[in-house]
Amino acid sequence: MLRRAKMLFALLFAPVIALAISGGAVAEEAKRWATNMPRGVTSVSNSIYDIHMLVFWIVTATGVLVFAVMFYSMYAHRKSRGAVAANFHENTTAEIVWTAVPAVILILLCIPATTTMLDVYDTSEAEIDIKVTGLQWKWQYEYLGEDIKFLSELTTPESEIYNRAPKGQYYHEEVSEPLVIPVNTKVRFLITGNDVIHSWWVPDFGVKRDAIPGFVNDAAATVTKPGVYRGQCTELCGKGHAFMPIVVNVLEKEEYKTWLAEKKVEQAAIRELTNKTFTMDELMEKGEVAYNRSCAGCHQVNGQGIPGIFPSLVGQGIAVGPVEAHIDIIVNGQAGTAMQAFGDQLSELDQAAIITYERNAWGNDVGDITQPIDVYNWKKGK
Amino acid sequence: MAHGPAKGIGRWLFTTNHKDIGTMYLWFSFAMFLMGGFFAMVIRAELFQPGMQIVKPEFFNQMTTMHGLVMVFGAIMPAFVGLANWMIPLQIGAPDMALPRMNNLSFWILPFAFTLLTATFFMEGGAPNFGWTFYAPLSTTYAPPTVNYFIFGVHLMGASSIMGSINIIATVLNMRAPGMTLMKMPMFVWTWLITAFLLIAVMPVLAGAVTMMLMDINFGTSFFNAAGGGDPVLFQHVFWFFGHPEVYIIILPAFGVISHIIPTFSRKPLFGYSSMVYATASIAFLSFIVWAHHMFLVGMPIGGELYFMYATMLIAVPTAAKVFNWISTMFRGSLTFETPMLYAVAFVILFTIGGFTGIMLAIAPADVQYHDTYFVVAHFHYVMVAGAIFSSTAAVYYWLPKWTGKMYNETMGKVQFWISFIGFNITFFPQHFIGLAGMPRRYSDYALQFSDWNMISSIGAFTYGAAQLLFLFNVVRTIRSGTPVSEPKTWEGAEGLEWTLPTPVPYHTFSTPPTIK
Amino acid sequence: MSTEGSYYVPESSKLPVFAATGLGLIALGAGSWVQGQSPWVFLAGALVLAFTLYAWFALVIKENIAGMNSDQLKRSYVWGMGWFIFSEAMFFAVFFGSLYYIRALVLPWLGGEATENELLWAGFEPTWPLMVTPDQAANGDAAQFLGPEQNMSFPGWDKILHWLPLWNTIILLSSSVTVHIAHTGIKNNDRKKFNLWLGITVFLGIIFLILQAEEYIEAYNHMGLTLSSGIYGTTFFMLTGFHGAHVTFGTIMLFVQWVRGLKGHFNDKDQFGFEAASWYWHFVDVVWVGLFLFVYILA
Ligand code: HEA
Ligand code: HEA
Ligand code: CUA
Ligand SMILES: [Cu+2]
């Protein structure tokens, strides 16, 4: 019986393992067959790792003991070996012992667990505050006090996701713009959600915290090693849940300063564009790109939406109605629905381009042009 | 009174007989298990490789949600209610359940509830897609319109469970044969009595949670909306105040079943009966005060985190007592390994492993890394599939000869066990690894480093799924053409009132109560 | 514990499937009704259920009068009703618990206590009753949730006589007393006393409901207090609303028992139907006392 089962096992496994080993280098292989959590690059992630290993070994040892007794009886007290059943069925001492022993083990375990937990919750004296907002389905990072704010969303192309192109090395873990922080500096993340609950997780930092709409949670990390760290959204947040990764670029302190300065200049330049006037063609071109990035997730590339959940924008409703309503819904969203307020997420140029695009693509030939300054004025007027 | 079952479909529609109702519950639950299992197969097929292969992400979420809901509310709970219906009257020497007509009502609500729930697949917006835990506001403001059917479906299930539990409590407290004191009751009856109390206490809480959702969605209230002064986390507190006891509702009757099978095949009385009873009761009590261990990352104050961590770890103590008692029952017994026993032993091993990962999850700082990853998925399939499904499979093999008067095919049973056991471990053991390595749950697509373990897990899942079809086959074959058995004790070592009855059990039993010494 | 002699197991019955069908239709109909479709399916289900329950209770009563119910079965009914009331208590516990959680924890958090929530809700002050929602504090009149203009809390001693909740409390508490008097009546086989005092109880129940409706109309028309006026309106209407629904249900139950009493169904030994309804009534009363304390008084 057992032999047959083992053969089946081997038969099942051989092709998988062969297939897996044949492609890719050995180092890569190690990561692919990873069986444990990373040690990480913050002191908190290290102590989490330690306590994880500690409990792991405790339960393993308990398991070995318990199963040893069990397997011994299964072997030695089989009827086929002539075992005759004893008739004992109570032993108060034994009961007390096996209640007390696990209790003691667990109480001892509580000590390191408590101290680690206090570390996890220690967000005091951070040098940098970054507000992290989860949106369907991207992250927004805002450097508090620095006038820097940007979105970070998945850049893996559809073609790779739908298997029409080979998958790149960072498939599913690459974003338009990573979060950048300096090394050896305590950074506090103020985490919140805009629509539904998301959860911001970077395993190497030992940071995971729910992003709850209407509430701000905090977590902190002091990263000890520069590098690129990747994480994911870990709270079911709708259909794009699997598609809102996190990438954090940890720089040396000096490099971070340079980055910060450049970023400020760049953001100022984008704000400049608000005052420029664009032609229809320019807007349509920019609009298509921006639409596909920010809106197609719900309203689909062809503007048709998904019946019952996301309305179609083709030939009906606001997209072909008065332009004011159109600007308004994009700037302010529609409270109480999945249609979020894009006013603070996208630049005025992108918003103007998207509006122009929606009104003139897919056979919606409304013909009007919305300029960035129109969007800007709309926001001010509110 | 002394007549047999009615003929035709009317027998099933109008019955008041606990055995008929038990049978219907069991078949219903198996049908739901196949459906939920089919959804799981879709999940595993999609996750066979990275990239989107066979379904769209939004449909994937519907699969995950419906898989969880159907398995928990459609497969496991009705399976144990079915066993309760069959066995409790037999084990306490009662002629039937205390309130037989209400009993039939609690069953017939279920087909309506699940028809409603699955019908949402064919409606605009699709089936529920917010996870079986349906956290607000994904399940309120951002839900598909079918969420309303889901809400009323949950109300129906709740009504069914509450009526079922009231019935069980009334039966156990009121219908025992003369001389059967509480501390002489079989373990299965005890675990169910306690489970019924849990159900009555928490099903209304679930009803409250969905009612709040209903109001938030349709009537402008702001329970779960910070803008109006509410809190999405309030939903989670209410849900888990139901949800955590719910997982013990799932496992306690399983403990009861195992506490019969192990003594039978060890030919030795259950070790530490009274401590088993007390342990069950303390598990039930503790289950009310640990709920927020599912919410370590919502940003509770540190005091709350620590309290819930300590309280959760405490549950290991009474559970440990149970495991040790089972093992002591086997110790120095005279063991044989028929299919029910194989399942029972596998239960003890795999449930303990699941319990161990439970303890790991209970360590709040470590849960920072585990939470919402496949590590959690592995944990709860160890306790639920290897816990609840293995034990109800064991129960069916164990009592089937008694019910039908026919013996199942032992070889086929053993083959089925080994495929299940191996398939199960190939499916869910690697999920610990992918979870620790960083793969979140409810993901329709994943990064490349998780590919290999996922593929293995999927292969295991198909294997395990195939074994369930074999189980179905074996049961049907037994009913139609199994080897007849007639001695009251179909198992040599079996003890208890049900084994004093003729085999197969007559349609009406214990019309006059037996006397217990 | 157990019986003497043999036990009555009812014949197979069509009632359960009909009841289940009714419930199924109700669920389906309610689901489509709240989405703005017509209520017909819901009403059809309610009708099926109502008829089935009527037939069901009629049957149970007939069996009881025919003497088919053993003491054991009667005990089962007692257990059944008792635990049903317990499950109702748990249902209310959810709403009371939520009220507590929101008042004691959520509002201070939203107001920035021990959190960084002022980043989102600048200017929000936690108070109870909550007259200005976080939304309103941050976004002014553009907010989705506007707080109420007035609330239902204790208006001060000078206005106490115009304070409906107080009258409601008095009415409901006295109805508990009257139903008890009716109970002692039937215990002594005093049918007249029973019918009179039970009738008074039903009457008090109806008065309570009328006053409650009055209070709601007042709230909607003059106080700007609606279901959507933030968490105060939410908790206020949900708690009092569910309580009101239970009073309605209890009143109907008592009314039915009253009619049965008039028909002479009860005597000093057998009055379980009435007793069950009266327990329910006492329960509803206790809930009201909780409401009065936590919703109206403790602000
Ligand atoms: C049958 C169902 C069942 C059972 C019995 C359990 C049992 C336990 N569970 Fe599990 N759990 C679930 C079903 C179940 N769980 C489900 C469905 C989820 C996920 C829900 C979702 O989010 O979808 C979940 C999630 C879950 C979490 C949340 C994880 C997260 O989301 O981050 C936690 C955290 O504490 C937890 C803990 C425990 C513990 C401590 C036990 C304990 O009861 C286990 C006790 C048993 C033992 C420990 C083994 C035997 C003991 C010994 C042999 C003695 C010696 C042991 C020691 C000294 C350690 N469970
Ligand atoms: C007791 C409950 C129970 C049971 C029995 C199972 C059984 C199984 N579960 Fe699951 N599961 C849950 C409860 C349960 N599950 C819950 C609560 C969740 C969380 C949901 C959520 O996140 O909201 C979950 C989530 C969950 C996930 C994670 C999904 C995600 O996060 O996106 C996965 C992935 O592998 C999974 C797999 C399986 C598999 C392979 C089985 C197998 O054991 C199933 C085996 C049975 C069959 C296969 C049926 C029989 C065969 C057929 C119908 C014929 C077809 C067969 C073939 C094609 C081979 N389950
Ligand atoms: Cu955002 Cu999941
Ligand atoms: Cu739990």
Side-chain angles (χ1 to χ4, degrees):
Chain A
M1 188 65 269
L2 209 66
R3 275 246 309 290
R4 242 191 290 165
K6 272 185 192 146
M7 270 165 57
L8 188 78
F9 195 86
L11 262 171
L12 278 170
F13 263 78
V16 184
I17 294 176
L19 198 106
I21 306 258
S22 58
V26 182
E28 190 73 352
E29 221 40 49
K31 193 181 172 200
R32 293 181 57 171
W33 293 101
T35 51
N36 204 351
M37 72 168 63
R39 225 169 197 297
V41 289
T42 63
S43 67
V44 169
S45 76
N46 277 295
S47 24
I48 291 179
Y49 179 84
D50 291 339
I51 196 158
H52 157 69
M53 290 316 286
L54 177 69
V55 228
F56 172 72
W57 287 117
I58 290 178
V59 297
T60 310
T62 321
V64 167
L65 276 172
V66 174
F67 297 146
V69 178
M70 183 164 168
F71 285 124
Y72 171 75
S73 329
M74 284 166 66
Y75 171 74
H77 305 143
R78 267 176 306 158
K79 193 179 179 205
S80 54
R81 290 183 90 237
V84 179
N87 202 23
F88 61 86
H89 56 82
E90 211 126 48
N91 184 328
T92 315
T93 328
E95 302 274 2
I96 292 174
V97 169
W98 66 48
T99 308
V101 172
V104 171
I105 296 178
L106 291 171
I107 289 170
L108 291 180
L109 196 55
C110 282
I111 298 167
T114 305
T115 52
T116 314
M117 199 59 209
L118 292 172
D119 282 350
V120 169
Y121 259 63
D122 178 16
T123 55
S124 60
E125 290 164 29
E127 289 172 46
I128 300 177
D129 276 353
I130 299 177
K131 186 173 164 216
V132 177
T133 310
L135 302 126
Q136 279 179 329
W137 291 281
K138 55 197 166 255
W139 296 98
Q140 185 179 52
Y141 301 114
E142 181 178 353
Y143 291 65
L144 294 184
E146 298 284 1
D147 216 6
I148 294 182
K149 179 154 133 182
F150 57 88
L151 288 174
S152 175
E153 52 198 312
L154 183 75
T155 49
T156 302
E158 287 247 315
S159 56
E160 288 185 24
I161 294 172
Y162 286 93
N163 313 306
R164 295 188 299 266
K167 298 184 176 23
Q169 185 186 5
Y170 294 116
Y171 172 76
H172 199 265
E173 293 190 310
E174 49 204 346
V175 296
S176 54
E177 195 169 1
L179 175 66
V180 179
I181 58 170
V183 76
N184 290 326
T185 309
K186 189 160 184 179
V187 180
R188 186 163 73 132
F189 304 104
L190 296 159
I191 301 169
T192 184
N194 186 59
D195 31 49
V196 300
I197 305 179
H198 304 262
S199 188
W200 198 77
W201 181 32
V202 181
D204 284 306
F205 297 178
V207 170
K208 185 192 284 157
R209 189 88 346 167
D210 287 354
I212 295 167
F215 291 81
V216 179
N217 281 328
D218 61 353
T222 312
V223 183
T224 54
K225 215 173 116 214
V228 177
Y229 301 97
R230 288 164 209 275
Q232 340 232 6
C233 175
T234 46
E235 183 64 64
L236 180 60
C237 52
K239 73 191 173 67
H241 168 52
F243 304 95
M244 49 184 292
I246 295 152
V247 180
V248 186
N249 197 356
V250 181
L251 299 179
E252 295 290 0
K253 285 186 183 173
E254 283 311 306
E255 293 175 46
Y256 173 74
K257 283 209 185 99
T258 326
W259 175 84
L260 200 67
E262 281 170 6
K263 189 74 197 167
K264 279 188 186 162
V265 174
E266 186 193 313
Q267 296 234 317
I270 293 178
R271 281 193 287 273
E272 282 292 289
L273 287 178
T274 304
N275 294 318
K276 259 187 74 179
T277 307
F278 294 83
T279 65
M280 178 72 135
D281 287 345
E282 282 171 328
L283 288 173
M284 286 298 280
E285 195 183 309
K286 286 194 192 324
E288 177 163 13
V289 177
Y291 175 88
N292 287 345
R293 193 179 62 226
S294 304
C295 322
C298 297
H299 297 287
Q300 307 301 314
V301 175
N302 60 12
Q304 298 284 358
I306 298 176
I309 321 180
F310 305 121
S312 162
L313 305 176
V314 181
Q316 59 170 57
I318 292 177
V320 293
V323 71
E324 288 77 21
H326 202 159
I327 301 182
D328 184 63
I329 196 165
I330 281 149
V331 171
N332 297 320
Q334 180 69 43
T337 72
M339 181 63 202
Q340 45 196 261
F342 285 92
D344 281 344
Q345 292 182 33
L346 303 174
S347 68
E348 279 83 23
L349 172 56
D350 276 347
Q351 293 176 59
I354 289 174
I355 294 167
T356 310
Y357 176 72
E358 283 179 347
R359 300 177 76 75
N360 298 291
W362 321 300
N364 282 358
D365 294 316
V366 183
D368 54 9
I369 299 184
T370 306
Q371 293 293 347
I373 194 73
D374 300 334
V375 176
Y376 181 80
N377 289 337
W378 185 268
K379 280 201 225 168
K380 282 288 133 270
K382 149 184 159 188
Chain B
M1 248 324 275
H3 48 72
K7 295 275 173 301
I9 182 82
R11 163 175 180 189
W12 303 104
L13 286 175
F14 309 136
T15 185
T16 46
N17 180 290
H18 72 102
K19 303 183 184 77
D20 282 351
I21 296 174
T23 306
M24 288 195 294
Y25 262 114
L26 288 171
W27 279 113
F28 175 79
S29 110
F30 197 77
M32 289 295 118
F33 176 61
L34 290 185
M35 183 162 91
F38 177 73
F39 297 158
M41 295 297 111
V42 175
I43 294 174
R44 285 309 336 161
E46 176 57 54
L47 296 178
F48 191 72
Q49 283 180 346
M52 299 308 301
Q53 267 74 238
I54 54 175
V55 296
K56 288 248 172 76
E58 55 267 31
F59 190 70
F60 182 91
N61 289 348
Q62 298 175 22
M63 286 284 112
T64 298
T65 307
M66 293 295 279
H67 164 68
L69 288 171
V70 166
M71 283 299 195
V72 169
F73 294 103
I76 295 195
M77 291 173 60
F80 285 117
V81 182
L83 290 171
N85 260 296
W86 253 103
M87 300 319 296
I88 288 179
L90 298 186
Q91 292 189 324
I92 62 173
D96 204 302
M97 297 294 279
L99 304 162
R101 282 184 292 235
M102 192 168 84
N103 200 13
N104 198 28
L105 173 58
S106 2
F107 170 75
W108 278 106
I109 287 177
L110 288 181
F112 286 99
F114 281 88
T115 310
L116 190 61
L117 199 59
T118 35
T120 56
F121 272 117
F122 308 101
M123 296 178 192
E124 198 174 89
N129 57 6
F130 27 64
W132 87 282
T133 52
F134 48 102
Y135 282 5
L138 186 62
S139 63
T140 54
T141 314
Y142 297 86
T146 52
V147 64
N148 291 306
Y149 296 109
F150 160 82
I151 288 173
F152 289 110
V154 170
H155 277 128
L156 286 184
M157 293 179 228
S160 158
S161 288
I162 290 174
M163 284 191 269
S165 323
I166 288 178
N167 217 337
I168 286 171
I169 294 179
T171 310
V172 174
L173 293 182
N174 198 22
M175 309 266 296
R176 275 168 290 132
M180 177 164 289
T181 57
L182 284 177
M183 288 314 273
K184 277 189 190 160
M185 279 190 331
M187 267 322 282
F188 182 67
V189 180
W190 254 119
T191 53
W192 244 116
L193 178 63
I194 291 171
T195 305
F197 284 123
L198 285 180
L199 274 167
I200 292 196
V202 302
M203 287 318 277
V205 176
L206 177 65
V210 291
T211 306
M212 290 177 178
M213 280 169 61
L214 183 77
M215 298 306 289
D216 268 16
I217 296 170
N218 301 297
F219 301 101
T221 57
S222 46
F223 282 113
F224 310 133
N225 195 334
D231 182 356
V233 175
L234 170 63
F235 175 85
Q236 300 184 22
H237 281 293
V238 179
F239 179 84
W240 288 115
F241 188 84
F242 148 80
H244 186 79
E246 168 70 18
V247 308
Y248 293 96
I249 287 167
I250 287 172
I251 207 67
L252 290 184
F255 288 169
V257 168
I258 299 302
S259 303
H260 287 277
I261 295 177
I262 288 186
T264 298
F265 297 96
S266 304
R267 295 170 181 73
K268 193 164 153 274
L270 181 67
F271 188 87
Y273 169 85
S274 45
S275 77
M276 286 296 234
V277 172
Y278 299 134
T280 312
S282 14
I283 293 175
F285 169 73
L286 288 173
S287 75
F288 284 111
I289 55 169
V290 301
W291 74 90
H293 64 218
H294 296 272
M295 306 164 52
F296 281 141
L297 297 172
V298 299
M300 270 186 285
I302 180 87
E305 302 271 329
L306 294 176
Y307 160 73
F308 282 108
M309 168 167 84
Y310 303 149
T312 304
M313 287 163 79
L314 217 55
I315 294 202
V317 175
T319 319
K322 306 210 70 138
V323 171
F324 296 140
N325 280 325
W326 289 322
I327 292 177
S328 309
T329 308
M330 289 164 69
F331 192 73
R332 296 200 38 219
S334 167
L335 278 66
T336 51
F337 295 96
E338 286 86 346
T339 312
M341 182 63 166
L342 286 176
Y343 268 106
V345 170
F347 169 94
V348 177
I349 298 174
L350 299 177
F351 172 79
T352 305
I353 295 178
F356 286 160
T357 51
I359 288 300
M360 297 174 76
L361 291 168
I363 308 283
D367 191 58
V368 168
Q369 300 284 35
Y370 307 140
H371 178 69
D372 263 336
T373 66
Y374 263 78
F375 191 78
V376 178
V377 176
H379 157 68
F380 68 72
H381 284 91
Y382 265 79
V383 280
M384 299 214 289
V385 179
I389 297 288
F390 273 31
S391 61
S392 38
T393 312
V396 170
Y397 277 121
Y398 180 60
W399 281 309
L400 193 62
K402 187 78 212 170
W403 297 337
T404 61
K406 310 225 181 90
M407 196 58 175
Y408 62 85
N409 182 320
E410 191 64 62
T411 316
M412 206 193 293
K414 284 185 172 144
V415 171
Q416 198 261 332
F417 166 77
W418 282 109
I419 304 179
S420 290
F421 181 79
I422 293 165
F424 170 83
N425 283 295
I426 301 177
T427 315
F428 294 109
F429 209 79
Q431 294 189 357
H432 293 114
F433 303 153
I434 27 182
L436 291 175
M439 177 163 158
R441 60 192 281 210
R442 297 162 167 174
Y443 258 31
S444 51
D445 191 12
Y446 50 83
L448 299 180
Q449 69 267 27
F450 309 120
S451 314
D452 301 299
W453 288 126
N454 263 306
M455 190 181 282
I456 290 175
S457 176
S458 293
I459 292 173
F462 303 142
T463 317
Y464 179 77
Q468 306 318 304
L469 297 181
L470 193 57
F471 173 63
L472 176 66
F473 177 75
N474 201 358
V475 171
V476 173
R477 211 199 64 103
T478 309
I479 295 170
R480 301 178 62 155
S481 59
T483 336
V485 278
S486 58
E487 64 274 26
K489 277 193 183 194
T490 45
W491 306 109
E492 183 194 350
E495 295 296 339
L497 272 184
E498 77 257 41
W499 305 105
T500 61
L501 292 164
T503 303
V505 229
Y507 193 59
H508 291 290
T509 40
F510 295 127
S511 301
T512 29
T515 315
I516 320 291
K517 314 155 263 163
Chain C
M1 193 184 303
S2 95
T3 31
E4 11 337 294
S6 77
Y7 185 77
Y8 170 65
V9 178
E11 296 299 318
S12 63
S13 162
K14 295 195 169 69
L15 293 167
V17 226
F18 280 125
T21 311
L23 285 169
L25 287 175
I26 286 178
L28 175 70
S32 53
W33 189 16
V34 292
Q35 284 172 57
Q37 283 153 34
S38 78
W40 291 117
V41 181
F42 173 83
L43 291 176
L47 217 60
V48 173
L49 184 68
F51 275 114
T52 316
L53 286 184
Y54 182 81
W56 195 322
F57 283 113
L59 179 68
V60 171
I61 291 166
K62 203 181 89 207
E63 285 170 358
N64 188 26
I65 291 174
M68 285 148 97
N69 292 1
S70 65
D71 287 349
Q72 194 178 30
L73 183 64
K74 287 180 184 165
R75 270 200 305 276
S76 291
Y77 284 146
V78 172
W79 283 112
M81 190 64 195
W83 289 107
F84 170 67
I85 291 179
F86 175 70
S87 79
E88 291 273 37
M90 288 306 293
F91 184 76
F92 275 102
V94 176
F95 290 92
F96 278 111
S98 304
L99 178 67
Y100 169 79
Y101 175 75
I102 282 166
R103 284 179 60 172
L105 300 169
V106 173
L107 291 179
W109 286 338
L110 282 171
E113 187 188 306
T115 61
E116 298 286 345
N117 286 334
E118 65 269 29
L119 276 176
L120 303 173
W121 310 113
F124 172 68
E125 294 287 337
T127 56
W128 194 265
L130 186 70
M131 307 304 280
V132 179
T133 64
D135 199 5
Q136 208 174 357
N139 300 324
D141 286 344
Q144 189 193 352
F145 295 102
L146 296 174
E149 286 144 31
Q150 275 172 282
N151 61 62
M152 288 289 177
S153 293
F154 182 54
W157 293 105
D158 50 329
K159 303 206 188 86
I160 188 153
L161 290 180
H162 297 281
W163 193 39
L164 269 185
L166 179 72
W167 291 108
N168 265 345
T169 309
I170 294 168
I171 291 169
L172 217 49
L173 286 183
S174 14
S175 77
S176 236
V177 176
T178 53
V179 84
H180 181 73
I181 299 177
H183 196 186
T184 51
I186 197 70
K187 280 269 181 207
N188 298 323
N189 230 348
D190 184 347
R191 295 253 178 97
K192 254 207 180 127
K193 185 172 169 193
F194 174 77
N195 292 341
L196 174 68
W197 287 97
L198 186 53
I200 294 179
T201 312
V202 173
F203 179 72
L204 288 174
I206 294 172
I207 297 289
F208 175 90
L209 287 169
I210 293 174
L211 289 183
Q212 185 80 16
E214 170 80 25
E215 187 181 39
Y216 280 9
I217 293 170
E218 179 79 355
Y220 263 81
N221 291 348
H222 304 295
M223 302 171 85
L225 175 59
T226 68
L227 270 173
S228 43
S229 32
I231 199 66
Y232 178 74
T234 300
T235 49
F236 171 77
F237 282 108
M238 290 302 281
L239 273 159
T240 54
F242 272 115
H243 177 263
H246 282 74
V247 175
T248 314
F249 198 49
T251 309
I252 295 173
M253 274 163 52
L254 286 178
F255 177 73
V256 171
Q257 304 312 321
W258 185 62
V259 174
R260 288 185 63 195
L262 292 180
K263 283 187 174 177
H265 279 185
F266 301 123
N267 56 41
D268 55 343
K269 303 221 175 44
D270 193 358
Q271 56 331 70
F272 175 69
F274 162 72
E275 269 181 329
S278 78
W279 295 336
Y280 193 80
W281 194 252
H282 288 307
F283 160 71
V284 168
D285 235 23
V286 172
V287 172
W288 176 263
V289 175
L291 276 180
F292 190 56
L293 265 177
F294 294 112
V295 175
Y296 291 103
I297 293 194
L298 295 179

